[in-house]
Amino acid sequence: MDRLHLMTVFVAVGEEESFAGGARRLGMSPPAVTRAISALEARLGVKLLQRTTRYVRVTEAGQRYLDDARRILGEVDEADEAAAGINAAPRGHLTVTAPVLFGKMFVMPGIVDYLSRYPETDVSALFLDRVVNMLEEGVDVAVRIGPLPDSSMRAIKVGQVRRVLCASPAYLEQHGIPQSPQALRERTVIAASGVSPAVEWKFGPESAPANIKLKPRLTVTSNDAAIEAARSGLGITRLMSYQIAPHLAAGELKIVLSEYENAPLPIHIVHRESKYGSAKVRSFIDLMADRLRADKHLN
């Protein structure tokens, strides 16, 4: 059997964790899928899948082969697109990830624009407040906020945001505007973090940073909840500037202690390193980079 065909079948079964699921995804019969996996394991001389009556799981060797097979098949698709010409219309499936609120506010409008421009494409959007492993989770493009670790990924800077303190005008009128980070110890603090009973906020400048330990009156696990609590007049919270931009414009929140802010955090579009430029990925990155660079809230 063709080696790329065998890889394609293995990736489908490995990702679906099911022979029947892999068969449905590829439009093949289950016996044909079983024969393909057996042929691949015989060719390699290694067991790739652990099978029981209840589940199918990749072995340790199978996981390494799965990662490599995904990469190889992706490069083959991109090579085909490159051979078809740089002006080929984008087509196929694209998986994109970004932080939850950033994705909702800035990436989703770009995705809608992209899908409207290129009718032969479809997109899966993973909006998560965690760093997604792009290779393991099959992500083509990620929008990341903050310093990037060293990796084989390509990154394009498209803007920056600040970490800011804010509160409602009513709260500040009643309790006064704090004049230093230390004054936060005497105010009601709303923390958008985990469930720790205490938080430590770092303030600039980088040459002489100050770490202030605080005990929040309210701790929430979503930025949306922290915004709503601050808007209601409960206290002071710390969020990214883009997250509260609409509420600043509406006069519902005000920034305080701006002179103590840390350096802005960069925003990058990150994509997987490859020899060839995929039309679907290249077109999405170009569109999204133009949109983000033009947005006044990200500069």
Side-chain angles (χ1 to χ4, degrees), residues 29-40:
S29 69
V33 168
T34 300
R35 287 194 297 272
I37 295 299
S38 296
L40 180 61

Side-chain angles (χ1 to χ4, degrees), residues 132-273:
V132 172
N133 186 310
M134 296 178 67
L135 183 61
E136 289 184 2
E137 301 187 45
V139 173
D140 299 293
V141 181
V143 179
R144 299 268 167 85
I145 299 174
L148 296 176
D150 292 334
S151 75
S152 62
M153 301 291 175
R154 291 178 177 173
I156 304 166
K157 186 177 178 181
V158 292
Q160 62 183 26
V161 290
R162 296 146 43 223
R163 202 184 301 276
V164 299
L165 289 163
C166 64
S168 71
Y171 177 86
L172 295 175
E173 183 177 349
Q174 181 178 357
H175 299 279
I177 298 173
Q179 300 301 310
S180 70
Q182 289 76 11
L184 295 172
R185 295 193 178 103
E186 302 170 2
R187 306 302 168 91
T188 299
V189 170
I190 304 160
S193 60
V195 294
S196 171
V199 298
E200 185 172 274
W201 287 350
K202 180 181 177 181
F203 295 88
E206 294 297 324
S207 58
N211 295 331
I212 306 298
K213 290 186 178 180
L214 300 166
K215 185 176 181 181
R217 181 96 186 273
L218 173 66
T219 301
V220 295
T221 56
S222 80
N223 296 316
D224 278 328
I227 290 170
E228 290 308 305
R231 286 177 62 209
S232 70
L234 177 64
I236 299 173
T237 191
R238 194 180 207 190
L239 296 160
M240 296 293 188
S241 53
Y242 74 86
Q243 294 169 340
I244 62 168
H247 307 292
L248 292 175
E252 299 169 335
L253 292 173
K254 287 187 175 182
I255 291 176
V256 297
L257 297 176
S258 58
E259 64 272 30
Y260 293 95
E261 289 175 10
N262 302 130
L265 298 171
I267 305 169
H268 290 93
I269 295 176
V270 180
H271 63 105
R272 287 180 281 177
E273 186 83 32

Side-chain angles (χ1 to χ4, degrees), residues 91-131:
R91 65 181 184 275
H93 184 74
L94 189 72
T95 301
V96 180
T97 187
V100 174
L101 268 182
F102 193 93
K104 174 184 174 183
M105 296 172 66
F106 300 101
V107 179
M108 183 53 72
I111 290 174
V112 172
D113 188 3
Y114 177 79
L115 292 172
S116 299
R117 293 190 194 188
Y118 306 113
E120 295 184 68
T121 61
D122 56 276
V123 173
S124 293
L126 308 178
F127 295 155
L128 303 165
D129 286 331
R130 65 174 174 85
V131 177

